[in-house]
Amino acid sequence: MTDSTNENDERPIGKTRWELPGGHVPVDSIGPEPEMVSHEQLCLLNAGDEMATLEVTLLYADGHEAGPYPLTVAPRRVRHVRINDLIDPYAPPLGEEYGIVLESNVPVVVQWSRQDTRQTENAALSTIAYGE
Amino acid sequence: MTDSTNENDERPIGKTRWELPGGHVPVDSIGPEPEMVSHEQLCLLNAGDEMATLEVTLLYADGHEAGPYPLTVAPRRVRHVRINDLIDPYAPPLGEEYGIVLESNVPVVVQWSRQDTRQTENAALSTIAYGE
Amino acid sequence: MTDSTNENDERPIGKTRWELPGGHVPVDSIGPEPEMVSHEQLCLLNAGDEMATLEVTLLYADGHEAGPYPLTVAPRRVRHVRINDLIDPYAPPLGEEYGIVLESNVPVVVQWSRQDTRQTENAALSTIAYGE
Amino acid sequence: MTDSTNENDERPIGKTRWELPGGHVPVDSIGPEPEMVSHEQLCLLNAGDEMATLEVTLLYADGHEAGPYPLTVAPRRVRHVRINDLIDPYAPPLGEEYGIVLESNVPVVVQWSRQDTRQTENAALSTIAYGE
């Protein structure tokens, strides 16, 4: 095994700037709460040794912006954040199309997922966000 | 926090050329309109300071092309466009396999999603397009 | 609009080598044929001016290989190919896990999709393949 | 056809470091076992000539880590590994949010998929992981 797979290799992997254009939380849900509630979430992975300090901004179609929402992810941890749990400094509007802009002080990796339970059975989708 | 996460950092993120090979709008739908109608859409995010002027061309299996469809996305805005809402200069054929070629004058980020309600419950899929 | 978005810009976009690790065609289906049959497909987009000549090889868990399957995509066209339509030189085994290796003589963009109708309603997933 | 598509071209394609932030195995399932059991899996493709030796580590929200789990993928093979089949050195906790960090001694390509059968019909999602 080479150095690049050495257990002690702690070089951070990821990017510091991420975007996701396809945000739209389904308003209705069918099924037991909270597990089957329709939602969208950011999945943040900080595999490095430093605390990651992030700012998330939501951009809407009408020019409105929500945030920036400050978030932290401790070293060597994952954190999943539902969009409707972003309430500080204020809750973002729901039921509208939005895009996500995320900036971090250290490299992280960002995945976005939607759970849609508007009809009886659930649909789900997920993609790694666009990072650079 | 470093400069790269400064609130005043307005460097545009994204690419100017995007492609999506897997287009195919399901023709049938089950559920209330317009929310549950089968559709595919482009989700465009312009996080920069300049108006984005885009051209979308649809390429088909038989050599037919539809478009180019002109689109704009204002600075700091998201825009979701359903494929069947592309009607100027003319409506594209539906129910056929197509690929999307998108060019922009400034960097943007592009995501593509399909909602499929041909059977009683909805299926959904989404991916960041291919950009360079 | 800059040169990079000029209508006459015909620089090919994409990559010549693509891989997809997650192949597994569901064997059962529920619903009308052929539309609702479970399947996986490659979606190939050639936005350039030259014929694309591709070779697709399927790699299995037991060391078996299927192919290479020759494919062409004409200039400025899309082509969707179901895995179970790859029959020349011989049909690949179905119902087994496989990975896809695709090589092209010119840049193309590759997306992979699965439609799964093993239970009453359909599930679907899709992702841009890995290209370099 | 150029050298890059020559049948004898065995240059490895892929990356050696991969991450996936959105792990969360659904605990409940509906449908026949083992096919319809809710699960998440890593799909690993080694299209090169050398044995790939990998280490998979799962990072949780509370700072707990599981693994590293050693895996190998033989040359020119695919391997799909369900997360709940990772049992050596010990089974990872299920029903919790986690992220995946994967390191390989040679380039591989990594895809992640979830099958969710908590409600009657199945939902599925998949994405190429983030590699660099």
Side-chain angles (χ1 to χ4, degrees), chain C residues 47-77:
Chain C
D49 282 337
E50 280 184 68
M51 175 73 72
T53 303
L54 298 83
E55 286 188 347
V56 175
T57 303
L58 308 184
L59 302 183
Y60 290 83
D62 60 3
H64 184 71
E65 297 191 18
Y69 298 97
L71 290 173
T72 56
V73 187
R76 306 286 295 169
R77 294 201 191 190

Short mmCIF file of all heavy atoms in Angstrom, two decimals, chain C residues 47-77:
data_model
loop_
_atom_site.label_atom_id
_atom_site.label_comp_id
_atom_site.label_asym_id
_atom_site.label_seq_id
_atom_site.Cartn_x
_atom_site.Cartn_y
_atom_site.Cartn_z
N ALA C 47 -22.09 15.62 -28.98
CA ALA C 47 -22.43 16.96 -29.46
C ALA C 47 -21.41 17.49 -30.46
O ALA C 47 -21.52 18.62 -30.91
CB ALA C 47 -22.55 17.92 -28.27
N GLY C 48 -20.43 16.66 -30.83
CA GLY C 48 -19.38 17.10 -31.74
C GLY C 48 -19.73 16.86 -33.20
O GLY C 48 -20.84 16.41 -33.55
N ASP C 49 -18.75 17.14 -34.07
CA ASP C 49 -18.97 17.05 -35.52
C ASP C 49 -18.54 15.72 -36.11
O ASP C 49 -18.76 15.47 -37.30
CB ASP C 49 -18.14 18.14 -36.23
CG ASP C 49 -18.80 19.49 -36.11
OD1 ASP C 49 -20.02 19.52 -35.90
OD2 ASP C 49 -18.08 20.50 -36.21
N GLU C 50 -17.89 14.87 -35.29
CA GLU C 50 -17.37 13.61 -35.80
C GLU C 50 -18.17 12.43 -35.27
O GLU C 50 -18.62 12.45 -34.12
CB GLU C 50 -15.93 13.40 -35.32
CG GLU C 50 -14.89 14.15 -36.11
CD GLU C 50 -13.51 13.78 -35.59
OE1 GLU C 50 -13.09 12.63 -35.77
OE2 GLU C 50 -12.88 14.65 -34.95
N MET C 51 -18.30 11.40 -36.09
CA MET C 51 -18.90 10.14 -35.64
C MET C 51 -18.11 9.63 -34.42
O MET C 51 -16.89 9.58 -34.43
CB MET C 51 -18.80 9.11 -36.77
CG MET C 51 -19.28 7.72 -36.41
SD MET C 51 -21.07 7.64 -36.26
CE MET C 51 -21.53 7.76 -38.01
N ALA C 52 -18.82 9.24 -33.38
CA ALA C 52 -18.17 8.63 -32.21
C ALA C 52 -18.24 7.11 -32.33
O ALA C 52 -19.31 6.54 -32.55
CB ALA C 52 -18.87 9.07 -30.92
N THR C 53 -17.10 6.46 -32.21
CA THR C 53 -17.01 5.00 -32.25
C THR C 53 -16.62 4.54 -30.85
O THR C 53 -15.56 4.91 -30.35
CB THR C 53 -15.96 4.55 -33.28
OG1 THR C 53 -16.31 5.10 -34.56
CG2 THR C 53 -15.91 3.04 -33.38
N LEU C 54 -17.48 3.74 -30.22
CA LEU C 54 -17.30 3.37 -28.82
C LEU C 54 -17.18 1.87 -28.67
O LEU C 54 -17.69 1.10 -29.49
CB LEU C 54 -18.50 3.82 -27.98
CG LEU C 54 -18.81 5.32 -27.89
CD1 LEU C 54 -19.62 5.80 -29.09
CD2 LEU C 54 -19.56 5.61 -26.62
N GLU C 55 -16.53 1.50 -27.58
CA GLU C 55 -16.49 0.10 -27.16
C GLU C 55 -16.95 0.02 -25.71
O GLU C 55 -16.40 0.70 -24.84
CB GLU C 55 -15.08 -0.46 -27.27
CG GLU C 55 -14.66 -0.74 -28.69
CD GLU C 55 -13.33 -1.48 -28.74
OE1 GLU C 55 -12.65 -1.53 -27.69
OE2 GLU C 55 -12.99 -1.98 -29.81
N VAL C 56 -17.94 -0.83 -25.47
CA VAL C 56 -18.47 -1.01 -24.12
C VAL C 56 -18.11 -2.42 -23.64
O VAL C 56 -18.39 -3.39 -24.33
CB VAL C 56 -20.00 -0.84 -24.11
CG1 VAL C 56 -20.58 -1.15 -22.74
CG2 VAL C 56 -20.38 0.57 -24.55
N THR C 57 -17.49 -2.50 -22.48
CA THR C 57 -17.17 -3.79 -21.88
C THR C 57 -17.84 -3.88 -20.51
O THR C 57 -17.82 -2.92 -19.75
CB THR C 57 -15.64 -3.95 -21.73
OG1 THR C 57 -15.03 -3.79 -23.01
CG2 THR C 57 -15.28 -5.33 -21.17
N LEU C 58 -18.43 -5.03 -20.22
CA LEU C 58 -19.06 -5.25 -18.92
C LEU C 58 -18.16 -6.17 -18.10
O LEU C 58 -17.77 -7.24 -18.56
CB LEU C 58 -20.44 -5.89 -19.10
CG LEU C 58 -21.40 -5.15 -20.07
CD1 LEU C 58 -22.77 -5.84 -20.07
CD2 LEU C 58 -21.54 -3.69 -19.72
N LEU C 59 -17.83 -5.73 -16.88
CA LEU C 59 -16.98 -6.52 -15.98
C LEU C 59 -17.83 -7.05 -14.83
O LEU C 59 -18.56 -6.29 -14.20
CB LEU C 59 -15.84 -5.65 -15.42
CG LEU C 59 -14.91 -4.99 -16.45
CD1 LEU C 59 -13.79 -4.24 -15.71
CD2 LEU C 59 -14.31 -6.01 -17.39
N TYR C 60 -17.71 -8.33 -14.53
CA TYR C 60 -18.52 -8.97 -13.51
C TYR C 60 -17.70 -9.28 -12.25
O TYR C 60 -16.47 -9.13 -12.24
CB TYR C 60 -19.15 -10.24 -14.08
CG TYR C 60 -20.21 -9.91 -15.10
CD1 TYR C 60 -19.85 -9.62 -16.42
CD2 TYR C 60 -21.54 -9.82 -14.74
CE1 TYR C 60 -20.82 -9.26 -17.36
CE2 TYR C 60 -22.51 -9.47 -15.67
CZ TYR C 60 -22.14 -9.19 -16.97
OH TYR C 60 -23.10 -8.84 -17.89
N ALA C 61 -18.41 -9.73 -11.21
CA ALA C 61 -17.76 -9.98 -9.92
C ALA C 61 -16.89 -11.23 -9.93
O ALA C 61 -15.96 -11.37 -9.13
CB ALA C 61 -18.82 -10.10 -8.82
N ASP C 62 -17.20 -12.14 -10.82
CA ASP C 62 -16.48 -13.42 -10.84
C ASP C 62 -15.33 -13.44 -11.84
O ASP C 62 -14.71 -14.48 -12.07
CB ASP C 62 -17.45 -14.56 -11.17
CG ASP C 62 -18.12 -14.37 -12.54
OD1 ASP C 62 -17.78 -13.39 -13.24
OD2 ASP C 62 -18.96 -15.20 -12.91
N GLY C 63 -15.05 -12.27 -12.46
CA GLY C 63 -13.93 -12.21 -13.39
C GLY C 63 -14.35 -12.38 -14.84
O GLY C 63 -13.54 -12.19 -15.75
N HIS C 64 -15.62 -12.73 -15.03
CA HIS C 64 -16.15 -12.83 -16.40
C HIS C 64 -16.22 -11.43 -17.01
O HIS C 64 -16.46 -10.45 -16.33
CB HIS C 64 -17.54 -13.45 -16.34
CG HIS C 64 -18.14 -13.67 -17.69
ND1 HIS C 64 -17.71 -14.64 -18.56
CD2 HIS C 64 -19.17 -13.04 -18.33
CE1 HIS C 64 -18.43 -14.61 -19.67
NE2 HIS C 64 -19.33 -13.64 -19.56
N GLU C 65 -15.98 -11.35 -18.33
CA GLU C 65 -16.17 -10.09 -19.06
C GLU C 65 -17.13 -10.33 -20.23
O GLU C 65 -17.10 -11.40 -20.84
CB GLU C 65 -14.84 -9.57 -19.63
CG GLU C 65 -13.82 -9.24 -18.57
CD GLU C 65 -12.60 -8.48 -19.11
OE1 GLU C 65 -12.70 -7.91 -20.22
OE2 GLU C 65 -11.59 -8.45 -18.41
N ALA C 66 -17.97 -9.36 -20.53
CA ALA C 66 -18.84 -9.44 -21.71
C ALA C 66 -18.47 -8.29 -22.64
O ALA C 66 -18.27 -7.16 -22.20
CB ALA C 66 -20.30 -9.37 -21.32
N GLY C 67 -18.41 -8.60 -23.95
CA GLY C 67 -18.02 -7.60 -24.93
C GLY C 67 -16.60 -7.80 -25.37
O GLY C 67 -16.05 -8.90 -25.19
N PRO C 68 -15.96 -6.78 -25.94
CA PRO C 68 -16.50 -5.43 -26.10
C PRO C 68 -17.61 -5.35 -27.14
O PRO C 68 -17.55 -6.00 -28.17
CB PRO C 68 -15.28 -4.62 -26.56
CG PRO C 68 -14.37 -5.61 -27.18
CD PRO C 68 -14.58 -6.89 -26.45
N TYR C 69 -18.62 -4.54 -26.79
CA TYR C 69 -19.73 -4.25 -27.69
C TYR C 69 -19.43 -2.97 -28.45
O TYR C 69 -19.22 -1.92 -27.83
CB TYR C 69 -21.04 -4.08 -26.91
CG TYR C 69 -21.43 -5.33 -26.16
CD1 TYR C 69 -21.12 -5.48 -24.82
CD2 TYR C 69 -22.08 -6.37 -26.81
CE1 TYR C 69 -21.45 -6.64 -24.13
CE2 TYR C 69 -22.42 -7.53 -26.13
CZ TYR C 69 -22.11 -7.66 -24.79
OH TYR C 69 -22.43 -8.81 -24.13
N PRO C 70 -19.40 -3.03 -29.79
CA PRO C 70 -19.14 -1.80 -30.55
C PRO C 70 -20.42 -0.99 -30.70
O PRO C 70 -21.51 -1.54 -30.89
CB PRO C 70 -18.70 -2.35 -31.92
CG PRO C 70 -19.37 -3.68 -32.03
CD PRO C 70 -19.52 -4.21 -30.63
N LEU C 71 -20.31 0.32 -30.55
CA LEU C 71 -21.44 1.23 -30.71
C LEU C 71 -20.96 2.47 -31.46
O LEU C 71 -19.81 2.87 -31.33
CB LEU C 71 -21.98 1.70 -29.35
CG LEU C 71 -22.71 0.69 -28.47
CD1 LEU C 71 -23.01 1.33 -27.11
CD2 LEU C 71 -24.02 0.26 -29.13
N THR C 72 -21.86 3.08 -32.21
CA THR C 72 -21.53 4.37 -32.82
C THR C 72 -22.63 5.36 -32.45
O THR C 72 -23.78 5.00 -32.23
CB THR C 72 -21.45 4.28 -34.36
OG1 THR C 72 -22.67 3.76 -34.86
CG2 THR C 72 -20.30 3.38 -34.79
N VAL C 73 -22.22 6.61 -32.34
CA VAL C 73 -23.18 7.71 -32.15
C VAL C 73 -22.83 8.77 -33.19
O VAL C 73 -21.72 9.32 -33.19
CB VAL C 73 -23.11 8.31 -30.73
CG1 VAL C 73 -24.23 9.33 -30.55
CG2 VAL C 73 -23.18 7.22 -29.67
N ALA C 74 -23.77 9.06 -34.07
CA ALA C 74 -23.55 10.03 -35.14
C ALA C 74 -23.35 11.43 -34.56
O ALA C 74 -23.72 11.70 -33.41
CB ALA C 74 -24.73 10.01 -36.11
N PRO C 75 -22.73 12.34 -35.34
CA PRO C 75 -22.51 13.70 -34.85
C PRO C 75 -23.82 14.38 -34.47
O PRO C 75 -24.84 14.18 -35.14
CB PRO C 75 -21.86 14.42 -36.05
CG PRO C 75 -21.31 13.33 -36.91
CD PRO C 75 -22.19 12.14 -36.70
N ARG C 76 -23.79 15.16 -33.40
CA ARG C 76 -24.95 15.95 -32.96
C ARG C 76 -26.16 15.08 -32.69
O ARG C 76 -27.30 15.46 -32.99
CB ARG C 76 -25.30 17.03 -34.00
CG ARG C 76 -24.16 17.96 -34.41
CD ARG C 76 -23.81 18.98 -33.36
NE ARG C 76 -24.89 19.93 -33.13
CZ ARG C 76 -24.90 20.79 -32.12
NH1 ARG C 76 -23.89 20.83 -31.26
NH2 ARG C 76 -25.88 21.62 -31.95
N ARG C 77 -25.93 13.91 -32.12
CA ARG C 77 -27.05 13.04 -31.80
C ARG C 77 -26.92 12.47 -30.39
O ARG C 77 -25.82 12.38 -29.83
CB ARG C 77 -27.14 11.87 -32.78
CG ARG C 77 -27.47 12.33 -34.18
CD ARG C 77 -28.05 11.22 -35.02
NE ARG C 77 -28.10 11.65 -36.42
CZ ARG C 77 -28.72 11.00 -37.38
NH1 ARG C 77 -29.33 9.86 -37.12
NH2 ARG C 77 -28.73 11.45 -38.62
#
